[in-house]
Amino acid sequence: MTVSSPKGPAQSDLAYQSEILQGVSRTFALNIPQLPGALRDVVGNVYALCRIADTIEDEPALSPAQKQAFSERFIAVVAGRGDVAPFSRELSALLSSSSTEREHDLVANTDRVVRVTRGFRATQRRAIERCVRIMSRGMAEFQQQATPDGLEDISHLNRYCYHVAGIVGETLTDLFCDYSAEIGRRRDDLSALSVSFGQGLQMVNILKDVWEDRRRGACWLPRDVFRSAGFELRSLSAGQPAPGFVEGLSALVAIAHRHLANALRFVLIIPSHETGIRRFCLWPLGMAVLTLQRIHATPAFSSGQDVKISRRSVRAVTWMTSLLVRSNPALKLLFQGLTRGLPRTAGTA
């Protein structure tokens, strides 16, 4: 039967949602608790649902057609139009050992996460349902086109990033504006930067995970950027970067740098007294900047582990951004210092 709408999320389901995020999204399990209480549960719900969508996308045992079918069923479940029990049961039965134990657990408990969704206000549910719909359909579309030879061009990379991350930036903007009338008065300014905010974080992940994605038969790098540098992505080989590859990588680092600069502008629009929301945004931004620096400094890396930042760096980012969280000038100076030496595109601050 279709999940009904309770008066509010059950505490046991909220506790499960909080606990499972620790295992499937460590970065956001770290910063979601920084949000004010009125936002913490709904944003956590968005990320739990996105992890289910990601699990469908990443599961190698599913064919592209199966991924598309499960994505459509998931959209219906989140919107309250589909039966959650058979969706969860049938997807769980097809997941392989490539999906982690916690991802198996999350899919098996889809009903608990969706019950939380059903307990939110209508404006919040609409934002969540839109996010899941756009993300799931976009990922299914790109899975149909996945190839180790890369995406056709930069416009396809932008579209991919929108579906997997830009939409999250838009959803966060909707939820922040719903939470605060003061933030809502800056909606237009935030909306203009929200997609870029998500794309900056996603591009860093794409660059960091290029070899892991390639081993799964996918590559999200744009062929035209590398071709203009005289390099064909089909000849890509780990640990042996050709000059053309390094040039193309540098161009993408510059684009990611520009999007991360926009992400900072997004954060600085949030009122300075909303320190929890600012920390929520600043922590992953700071980690992305440090990761991008490592990618730029180590173009011969052959695994995401080679450019992964240390726990000490994570602690430093959270401490420093928390210390400066209320000061726009100080945060701008910090960003300039952390991005020193990164290639830039026109307009990068």
Side-chain angles (χ1 to χ4, degrees):
M1 57 184 280
T2 302
V3 176
S4 60
S5 298
K7 293 181 179 179
Q11 288 304 309
S12 61
D13 292 332
L14 286 171
Y16 172 78
Q17 175 178 283
S18 177
E19 188 273 334
I20 196 63
L21 282 171
Q22 302 287 333
V24 298
S25 184
R26 291 181 182 176
T27 298
F28 288 100
L30 177 69
N31 68 336
I32 286 173
Q34 302 306 309
L35 290 167
L39 277 171
R40 196 175 304 144
D41 293 338
V42 67
V43 172
N45 190 249
V46 169
Y47 279 94
L49 292 169
C50 288
R51 284 306 307 150
I52 296 173
D54 284 341
T55 300
I56 296 171
E57 179 197 14
D58 293 340
E59 176 51 63
L62 297 176
S63 69
Q66 287 175 309
K67 290 180 180 183
Q68 185 171 27
F70 274 113
S71 293
E72 286 298 324
R73 291 175 66 183
F74 184 50
I75 291 167
V77 162
V78 173
R81 301 190 310 271
D83 293 334
V84 65
F87 164 83
S88 177
R89 182 178 62 251
E90 292 166 25
L91 179 57
S92 292
L94 293 173
L95 294 181
S96 70
S97 59
S98 295
S99 293
T100 68
E101 181 179 345
R102 301 313 298 274
E103 288 168 341
H104 278 263
D105 188 281
L106 176 59
V107 169
N109 287 280
T110 301
D111 60 331
R112 305 187 72 176
V113 179
V114 174
R115 278 201 299 267
V116 173
T117 311
R118 300 267 61 81
F120 296 132
R121 297 192 310 277
T123 53
Q124 296 171 316
R125 293 199 308 272
R126 282 195 295 270
I128 293 170
E129 290 164 13
R130 177 177 181 268
C131 181
V132 169
R133 182 175 65 254
I134 292 175
M135 176 180 286
S136 296
R137 287 180 177 161
M139 290 194 301
E141 173 192 341
F142 276 93
Q143 278 297 317
Q144 299 274 1
Q145 309 168 15
T147 167
D149 294 339
L151 297 170
E152 182 177 344
D153 54 30
I154 193 70
S155 67
H156 282 77
L157 172 64
N158 292 340
R159 285 190 64 241
Y160 175 73
C161 286
Y162 172 71
H163 287 297
V164 300
I167 180 57
V168 178
E170 290 183 338
T171 303
L172 290 174
T173 298
D174 287 340
L175 295 175
F176 293 166
C177 291
D178 176 75
Y179 158 77
S180 163
E182 182 181 7
I183 296 175
R185 288 191 287 272
R186 302 298 305 275
R187 177 186 287 273
D188 289 346
D189 295 331
L190 289 169
S191 295
L193 297 166
S194 61
V195 172
S196 191
F197 177 30
Q199 179 157 347
L201 301 181
Q202 183 62 29
M203 283 191 69
V204 173
N205 285 335
I206 287 172
L207 296 175
K208 175 177 69 71
D209 296 335
V210 61
W211 301 113
E212 287 76 8
D213 288 337
R214 195 171 177 82
R215 283 192 286 272
R216 294 203 304 263
C219 179
W220 309 116
L221 303 179
R223 290 193 294 271
D224 66 333
V225 170
F226 291 89
R227 189 170 289 145
S228 66
F231 184 82
E232 292 293 336
L233 282 174
R234 69 171 67 94
S235 63
L236 190 57
S237 178
Q240 299 177 345
F245 173 74
V246 175
E247 184 180 340
L249 183 68
S250 181
L252 292 179
V253 167
I255 294 171
H257 180 192
R258 185 184 73 231
H259 285 298
L260 293 179
N262 286 339
L264 178 65
R265 291 171 59 201
F266 178 95
V267 175
L268 299 185
I269 293 170
I270 302 294
S272 60
H273 63 84
E274 292 287 1
T275 55
I277 297 177
R278 282 185 163 217
R279 284 194 299 270
F280 168 83
C281 297
L282 285 168
W283 289 4
L285 171 57
M287 294 176 207
V289 167
L290 295 184
T291 303
L292 195 64
Q293 280 284 15
R294 290 181 63 86
I295 291 168
H296 179 59
T298 320
F301 74 98
S302 58
S303 166
Q305 288 296 320
D306 296 342
V307 292
K308 183 178 179 180
I309 63 174
S310 67
R311 291 183 179 180
R312 181 178 180 180
S313 294
V314 171
R315 288 194 295 269
V317 163
T318 58
W319 178 79
M320 184 62 72
T321 53
S322 296
L323 180 68
L324 305 176
V325 67
R326 290 178 177 267
S327 173
N328 286 6
L331 288 172
K332 289 179 182 178
L333 286 174
L334 177 63
F335 183 85
Q336 291 170 4
L338 292 178
T339 58
R340 184 175 293 117
L342 286 178
R344 299 169 182 266
T345 64
T348 304

CSV table of all heavy atoms in Angstrom, one decimal, residues 30-31 33-35 267 272-284 286-287 313-328 330-331 334 338:
chain,number,residue,atom,x,y,z
A,30,LEU,N,28.5,14.7,9.1
A,30,LEU,CA,29.3,15.6,10.0
A,30,LEU,C,28.7,17.0,10.0
A,30,LEU,O,28.6,17.6,11.1
A,30,LEU,CB,30.7,15.7,9.4
A,30,LEU,CG,31.7,16.7,10.1
A,30,LEU,CD1,32.1,16.2,11.5
A,30,LEU,CD2,33.0,16.9,9.3
A,31,ASN,N,28.2,17.5,8.9
A,31,ASN,CA,27.8,18.9,8.9
A,31,ASN,C,26.3,19.1,9.0
A,31,ASN,O,25.8,20.2,9.4
A,31,ASN,CB,28.3,19.7,7.7
A,31,ASN,CG,27.7,19.2,6.4
A,31,ASN,OD1,27.2,18.1,6.3
A,31,ASN,ND2,27.7,20.1,5.4
A,33,PRO,N,24.3,18.0,11.4
A,33,PRO,CA,23.9,18.4,12.8
A,33,PRO,C,24.2,19.9,13.1
A,33,PRO,O,23.8,20.4,14.1
A,33,PRO,CB,24.8,17.5,13.6
A,33,PRO,CG,25.0,16.3,12.8
A,33,PRO,CD,25.2,16.8,11.4
A,34,GLN,N,25.0,20.6,12.2
A,34,GLN,CA,25.2,22.0,12.5
A,34,GLN,C,24.0,22.9,12.2
A,34,GLN,O,23.9,24.0,12.7
A,34,GLN,CB,26.4,22.5,11.6
A,34,GLN,CG,27.7,21.7,11.8
A,34,GLN,CD,28.1,21.7,13.3
A,34,GLN,OE1,28.2,22.8,13.9
A,34,GLN,NE2,28.4,20.5,13.8
A,35,LEU,N,23.1,22.3,11.4
A,35,LEU,CA,21.9,23.1,11.0
A,35,LEU,C,21.0,23.3,12.2
A,35,LEU,O,20.9,22.5,13.1
A,35,LEU,CB,21.1,22.3,9.9
A,35,LEU,CG,21.8,22.3,8.6
A,35,LEU,CD1,21.1,21.3,7.7
A,35,LEU,CD2,21.8,23.7,7.9
A,267,VAL,N,27.3,31.4,0.3
A,267,VAL,CA,27.4,31.3,1.7
A,267,VAL,C,27.3,32.7,2.3
A,267,VAL,O,26.6,33.0,3.3
A,267,VAL,CB,28.7,30.6,2.2
A,267,VAL,CG1,28.7,30.6,3.7
A,267,VAL,CG2,28.7,29.1,1.7
A,272,SER,N,24.7,36.5,8.6
A,272,SER,CA,25.9,36.1,9.4
A,272,SER,C,25.5,35.5,10.8
A,272,SER,O,26.2,34.7,11.3
A,272,SER,CB,26.8,37.3,9.7
A,272,SER,OG,26.1,38.3,10.4
A,273,HIS,N,24.3,35.8,11.3
A,273,HIS,CA,23.8,35.2,12.5
A,273,HIS,C,23.3,33.8,12.3
A,273,HIS,O,23.2,33.0,13.3
A,273,HIS,CB,22.7,36.0,13.2
A,273,HIS,CG,21.5,36.2,12.4
A,273,HIS,ND1,20.5,35.2,12.4
A,273,HIS,CD2,21.0,37.1,11.5
A,273,HIS,CE1,19.5,35.6,11.6
A,273,HIS,NE2,19.8,36.7,11.1
A,274,GLU,N,23.1,33.3,11.1
A,274,GLU,CA,22.7,32.0,10.8
A,274,GLU,C,24.0,31.1,10.7
A,274,GLU,O,24.3,30.5,9.7
A,274,GLU,CB,21.9,31.9,9.5
A,274,GLU,CG,20.5,32.5,9.6
A,274,GLU,CD,19.5,31.7,10.4
A,274,GLU,OE1,19.9,30.7,11.0
A,274,GLU,OE2,18.4,32.2,10.5
A,275,THR,N,24.7,31.0,11.9
A,275,THR,CA,26.0,30.3,11.9
A,275,THR,C,25.9,28.8,11.5
A,275,THR,O,26.8,28.3,10.9
A,275,THR,CB,26.7,30.5,13.2
A,275,THR,OG1,25.8,30.1,14.3
A,275,THR,CG2,27.0,32.0,13.4
A,276,GLY,N,24.8,28.2,11.9
A,276,GLY,CA,24.6,26.8,11.6
A,276,GLY,C,24.5,26.5,10.2
A,276,GLY,O,25.2,25.6,9.6
A,277,ILE,N,23.7,27.3,9.4
A,277,ILE,CA,23.6,27.1,8.0
A,277,ILE,C,24.9,27.4,7.3
A,277,ILE,O,25.3,26.7,6.4
A,277,ILE,CB,22.5,28.0,7.4
A,277,ILE,CG1,21.1,27.6,8.0
A,277,ILE,CG2,22.4,27.9,5.9
A,277,ILE,CD1,20.0,28.5,7.6
A,278,ARG,N,25.6,28.5,7.8
A,278,ARG,CA,26.9,28.8,7.2
A,278,ARG,C,27.9,27.7,7.4
A,278,ARG,O,28.6,27.3,6.5
A,278,ARG,CB,27.4,30.1,7.8
A,278,ARG,CG,26.7,31.4,7.2
A,278,ARG,CD,27.4,32.6,7.8
A,278,ARG,NE,27.1,33.8,6.9
A,278,ARG,CZ,27.9,34.8,6.6
A,278,ARG,NH1,29.1,34.8,7.1
A,278,ARG,NH2,27.5,35.8,5.9
A,279,ARG,N,28.0,27.1,8.6
A,279,ARG,CA,28.9,26.0,8.8
A,279,ARG,C,28.6,24.8,7.9
A,279,ARG,O,29.5,24.1,7.4
A,279,ARG,CB,28.9,25.6,10.3
A,279,ARG,CG,29.7,26.5,11.2
A,279,ARG,CD,29.9,25.9,12.6
A,279,ARG,NE,28.7,25.5,13.2
A,279,ARG,CZ,28.0,26.3,14.1
A,279,ARG,NH1,28.5,27.6,14.3
A,279,ARG,NH2,26.9,25.9,14.7
A,280,PHE,N,27.3,24.5,7.8
A,280,PHE,CA,26.8,23.4,7.0
A,280,PHE,C,27.4,23.6,5.6
A,280,PHE,O,27.8,22.6,4.9
A,280,PHE,CB,25.3,23.4,7.0
A,280,PHE,CG,24.7,22.5,5.9
A,280,PHE,CD1,24.6,21.1,6.2
A,280,PHE,CD2,24.3,23.0,4.7
A,280,PHE,CE1,24.0,20.3,5.2
A,280,PHE,CE2,23.7,22.2,3.7
A,280,PHE,CZ,23.6,20.8,4.0
A,281,CYS,N,27.4,24.8,5.0
A,281,CYS,CA,27.9,25.0,3.7
A,281,CYS,C,29.4,25.1,3.6
A,281,CYS,O,30.0,24.7,2.6
A,281,CYS,CB,27.2,26.3,3.1
A,281,CYS,SG,25.4,26.2,2.9
A,282,LEU,N,30.0,25.8,4.6
A,282,LEU,CA,31.4,26.0,4.6
A,282,LEU,C,32.3,24.8,4.7
A,282,LEU,O,33.3,24.7,4.1
A,282,LEU,CB,31.8,27.1,5.7
A,282,LEU,CG,31.4,28.5,5.4
A,282,LEU,CD1,31.5,29.3,6.7
A,282,LEU,CD2,32.2,29.1,4.3
A,283,TRP,N,31.8,23.9,5.5
A,283,TRP,CA,32.7,22.7,5.8
A,283,TRP,C,32.9,21.9,4.5
A,283,TRP,O,34.1,21.6,4.2
A,283,TRP,CB,32.1,21.8,6.9
A,283,TRP,CG,32.2,22.5,8.2
A,283,TRP,CD1,32.7,23.7,8.5
A,283,TRP,CD2,31.8,21.9,9.5
A,283,TRP,NE1,32.6,24.0,9.9
A,283,TRP,CE2,32.1,22.9,10.5
A,283,TRP,CE3,31.2,20.7,9.9
A,283,TRP,CZ2,31.8,22.6,11.9
A,283,TRP,CZ3,31.0,20.5,11.2
A,283,TRP,CH2,31.3,21.4,12.2
A,284,PRO,N,31.9,21.5,3.7
A,284,PRO,CA,32.2,20.8,2.5
A,284,PRO,C,32.9,21.6,1.5
A,284,PRO,O,33.7,21.1,0.7
A,284,PRO,CB,30.8,20.3,2.0
A,284,PRO,CG,29.9,21.2,2.7
A,284,PRO,CD,30.5,21.5,4.0
A,286,GLY,N,35.2,24.0,2.2
A,286,GLY,CA,36.6,24.0,2.5
A,286,GLY,C,37.3,22.7,2.2
A,286,GLY,O,38.4,22.7,1.7
A,287,MET,N,36.6,21.5,2.4
A,287,MET,CA,37.2,20.2,2.1
A,287,MET,C,37.4,20.1,0.6
A,287,MET,O,38.4,19.5,0.1
A,287,MET,CB,36.3,19.1,2.6
A,287,MET,CG,36.2,19.1,4.1
A,287,MET,SD,35.1,17.8,4.7
A,287,MET,CE,34.5,18.5,6.3
A,313,SER,N,43.4,17.7,8.2
A,313,SER,CA,42.9,18.7,7.4
A,313,SER,C,41.4,19.0,7.5
A,313,SER,O,41.0,20.2,7.5
A,313,SER,CB,43.2,18.4,5.9
A,313,SER,OG,44.6,18.4,5.6
A,314,VAL,N,40.6,17.9,7.7
A,314,VAL,CA,39.2,18.1,7.9
A,314,VAL,C,39.0,18.9,9.2
A,314,VAL,O,38.2,19.8,9.3
A,314,VAL,CB,38.5,16.7,8.0
A,314,VAL,CG1,37.1,16.9,8.5
A,314,VAL,CG2,38.6,16.0,6.6
A,315,ARG,N,39.7,18.5,10.3
A,315,ARG,CA,39.6,19.2,11.6
A,315,ARG,C,40.0,20.7,11.4
A,315,ARG,O,39.3,21.6,12.0
A,315,ARG,CB,40.4,18.5,12.6
A,315,ARG,CG,39.9,17.2,13.1
A,315,ARG,CD,40.5,16.7,14.4
A,315,ARG,NE,41.9,16.4,14.2
A,315,ARG,CZ,42.5,15.3,13.8
A,315,ARG,NH1,41.6,14.2,13.6
A,315,ARG,NH2,43.7,15.1,13.7
A,316,ALA,N,41.0,20.9,10.7
A,316,ALA,CA,41.5,22.3,10.5
A,316,ALA,C,40.4,23.1,9.8
A,316,ALA,O,40.2,24.3,10.1
A,316,ALA,CB,42.8,22.3,9.7
A,317,VAL,N,39.8,22.5,8.7
A,317,VAL,CA,38.8,23.3,8.0
A,317,VAL,C,37.6,23.6,8.9
A,317,VAL,O,37.1,24.7,8.9
A,317,VAL,CB,38.3,22.4,6.8
A,317,VAL,CG1,37.0,22.9,6.2
A,317,VAL,CG2,39.3,22.5,5.7
A,318,THR,N,37.1,22.6,9.6
A,318,THR,CA,36.0,22.8,10.5
A,318,THR,C,36.3,23.8,11.6
A,318,THR,O,35.4,24.7,11.9
A,318,THR,CB,35.5,21.5,11.1
A,318,THR,OG1,36.5,20.9,11.9
A,318,THR,CG2,35.0,20.5,10.0
A,319,TRP,N,37.5,23.8,12.1
A,319,TRP,CA,37.8,24.7,13.2
A,319,TRP,C,38.0,26.2,12.6
A,319,TRP,O,37.4,27.1,13.2
A,319,TRP,CB,39.2,24.3,13.8
A,319,TRP,CG,39.6,25.3,14.9
A,319,TRP,CD1,39.2,25.3,16.2
A,319,TRP,CD2,40.6,26.3,14.8
A,319,TRP,NE1,39.8,26.4,16.9
A,319,TRP,CE2,40.7,27.0,16.0
A,319,TRP,CE3,41.4,26.7,13.7
A,319,TRP,CZ2,41.6,28.0,16.2
A,319,TRP,CZ3,42.3,27.8,13.9
A,319,TRP,CH2,42.4,28.4,15.2
A,320,MET,N,38.7,26.3,11.5
A,320,MET,CA,38.9,27.7,11.0
A,320,MET,C,37.7,28.3,10.5
A,320,MET,O,37.4,29.5,10.8
A,320,MET,CB,40.0,27.6,9.9
A,320,MET,CG,40.4,29.0,9.4
A,320,MET,SD,41.2,30.0,10.6
A,320,MET,CE,42.8,29.2,10.8
A,321,THR,N,36.9,27.6,9.7
A,321,THR,CA,35.6,28.2,9.2
A,321,THR,C,34.6,28.5,10.3
A,321,THR,O,33.9,29.5,10.2
A,321,THR,CB,35.0,27.3,8.2
A,321,THR,OG1,34.8,25.9,8.7
A,321,THR,CG2,35.8,27.2,6.9
A,322,SER,N,34.6,27.7,11.4
A,322,SER,CA,33.8,27.9,12.5
A,322,SER,C,34.2,29.2,13.2
A,322,SER,O,33.4,30.0,13.7
A,322,SER,CB,33.7,26.7,13.5
A,322,SER,OG,33.2,25.6,12.8
A,323,LEU,N,35.5,29.4,13.3
A,323,LEU,CA,36.0,30.5,14.0
A,323,LEU,C,35.7,31.8,13.3
A,323,LEU,O,35.4,32.9,13.9
A,323,LEU,CB,37.6,30.4,14.1
A,323,LEU,CG,38.3,31.6,14.8
A,323,LEU,CD1,38.0,31.6,16.3
A,323,LEU,CD2,39.8,31.4,14.6
A,324,LEU,N,35.7,31.7,11.9
A,324,LEU,CA,35.5,32.9,11.1
A,324,LEU,C,34.0,33.0,10.5
A,324,LEU,O,33.8,33.9,9.7
A,324,LEU,CB,36.5,32.9,9.9
A,324,LEU,CG,37.9,32.8,10.3
A,324,LEU,CD1,38.8,32.7,9.0
A,324,LEU,CD2,38.4,34.0,11.2
A,325,VAL,N,33.2,32.2,11.0
A,325,VAL,CA,31.9,32.0,10.3
A,325,VAL,C,31.0,33.2,10.2
A,325,VAL,O,30.3,33.4,9.2
A,325,VAL,CB,31.1,30.9,11.0
A,325,VAL,CG1,30.6,31.3,12.4
A,325,VAL,CG2,29.8,30.4,10.2
A,326,ARG,N,31.2,34.2,11.1
A,326,ARG,CA,30.3,35.4,11.0
A,326,ARG,C,30.9,36.5,10.2
A,326,ARG,O,30.3,37.5,9.9
A,326,ARG,CB,30.1,35.9,12.4
A,326,ARG,CG,29.2,35.1,13.3
A,326,ARG,CD,29.1,35.7,14.7
A,326,ARG,NE,28.2,34.9,15.5
A,326,ARG,CZ,26.9,35.1,15.7
A,326,ARG,NH1,26.3,36.1,15.0
A,326,ARG,NH2,26.1,34.4,16.5
A,327,SER,N,32.2,36.4,9.8
A,327,SER,CA,32.9,37.5,9.1
A,327,SER,C,33.1,37.2,7.6
A,327,SER,O,33.9,36.4,7.2
A,327,SER,CB,34.3,37.7,9.8
A,327,SER,OG,35.0,38.6,9.1
A,328,ASN,N,32.4,38.0,6.8
A,328,ASN,CA,32.5,37.8,5.4
A,328,ASN,C,33.9,38.2,4.9
A,328,ASN,O,34.5,37.5,4.1
A,328,ASN,CB,31.5,38.7,4.6
A,328,ASN,CG,30.1,38.1,4.7
A,328,ASN,OD1,29.9,37.1,5.4
A,328,ASN,ND2,29.1,38.7,4.0
A,330,ALA,N,36.8,38.0,6.5
A,330,ALA,CA,37.7,37.0,6.9
A,330,ALA,C,37.6,35.7,6.1
A,330,ALA,O,38.5,35.0,5.7
A,330,ALA,CB,37.6,36.7,8.4
A,331,LEU,N,36.3,35.3,5.8
A,331,LEU,CA,36.1,34.1,5.0
A,331,LEU,C,36.6,34.3,3.5
A,331,LEU,O,37.1,33.4,2.9
A,331,LEU,CB,34.6,33.8,5.0
A,331,LEU,CG,34.0,33.3,6.3
A,331,LEU,CD1,32.5,33.2,6.2
A,331,LEU,CD2,34.6,31.9,6.6
A,334,LEU,N,40.3,33.9,3.8
A,334,LEU,CA,40.7,32.5,3.9
A,334,LEU,C,40.6,31.7,2.6
A,334,LEU,O,41.4,30.9,2.2
A,334,LEU,CB,39.7,31.8,5.0
A,334,LEU,CG,39.9,30.3,5.2
A,334,LEU,CD1,41.3,30.0,5.8
A,334,LEU,CD2,38.8,29.8,6.2
A,338,LEU,N,43.5,29.7,0.7
A,338,LEU,CA,43.4,28.2,0.4
A,338,LEU,C,43.4,27.9,-1.1
A,338,LEU,O,43.8,26.8,-1.5
A,338,LEU,CB,42.1,27.7,1.0
A,338,LEU,CG,42.0,27.6,2.5
A,338,LEU,CD1,40.7,27.1,3.0
A,338,LEU,CD2,43.2,26.8,3.1
